[in-house]
Amino acid sequence: FPLTLANDPRYESVALGLEVEGEVIIDDETFNQKEFLAKVAASPKCPKSYCPSPENFKEAYRTEAENVFVFTLSSKLSGSYNSAELGKRIFLYATPILQAAEKHSLPLWRLSGPRKVCLSKKSARS
């Protein structure tokens, strides 16, 4: 996430997690790469990483924005895309327009909700 956008309220980052020797480190604005690499170097075990939960993405979708665009790591490299997709489904299911569609058996593709959530797979080469 570019530092130039960190304080721009139009952008939000959903952080990945890292684990070294049982210590969970969140890759957010508080992440200290030098400290992380020192911990990795001192550990006999390989570090672990994990993608954000669908709940993290669902909460990031709560916005007044008309459109939401999500960029994730490649689905071939990380579970981030799947988490973002599931978070989108959970978020959309919780909105009243989708609940009404389900109640009245309306096709979802005909509904126009207050916002659109678009996911984009990023190429492994990017």
Side-chain angles (χ1 to χ4, degrees):
F1 196 69
L3 291 176
T4 56
L5 302 177
N7 293 323
D8 189 326
R10 296 174 299 166
Y11 299 94
E12 184 167 343
S13 177
V14 180
L16 298 170
L18 305 161
E19 185 179 325
V20 180
E21 291 289 324
E23 179 184 353
V24 175
I25 301 164
I26 304 299
D27 186 11
D28 61 9
E29 65 278 350
T30 65
F31 180 72
N32 184 315
Q33 184 178 18
K34 188 175 181 178
E35 285 180 16
F36 172 72
L37 292 175
K39 289 175 185 181
V40 170
S43 174
K45 299 178 184 175
C46 289
K48 297 177 183 178
S49 67
Y50 57 90
C51 62
S53 72
E55 182 69 22
N56 293 132
F57 280 103
K58 182 190 90 167
E59 290 306 314
Y61 296 143
R62 289 186 193 282
T63 176
E64 296 300 317
E66 186 174 324
N67 297 291
V68 176
F69 295 90
V70 179
F71 298 91
T72 70
L73 297 171
S74 167
S75 62
K76 292 179 176 34
L77 298 174
S78 168
S80 296
Y81 177 81
N82 290 333
S83 260
E85 181 66 34
L86 183 54
K88 177 185 88 168
R89 290 179 186 170
I90 294 167
F91 173 78
L92 293 176
Y93 182 77
T95 60
I97 194 165
L98 292 176
Q99 290 172 358
E102 185 177 81
K103 180 178 178 181
H104 299 290
S105 300
L106 298 173
L108 296 181
W109 57 269
R110 296 189 64 184
L111 298 172
S112 57
R115 66 177 65 94
K116 300 169 191 146
V117 177
C118 307
L119 295 180
S120 172
K121 285 187 181 180
K122 188 173 181 183
S123 158
R125 289 174 263 168
S126 301

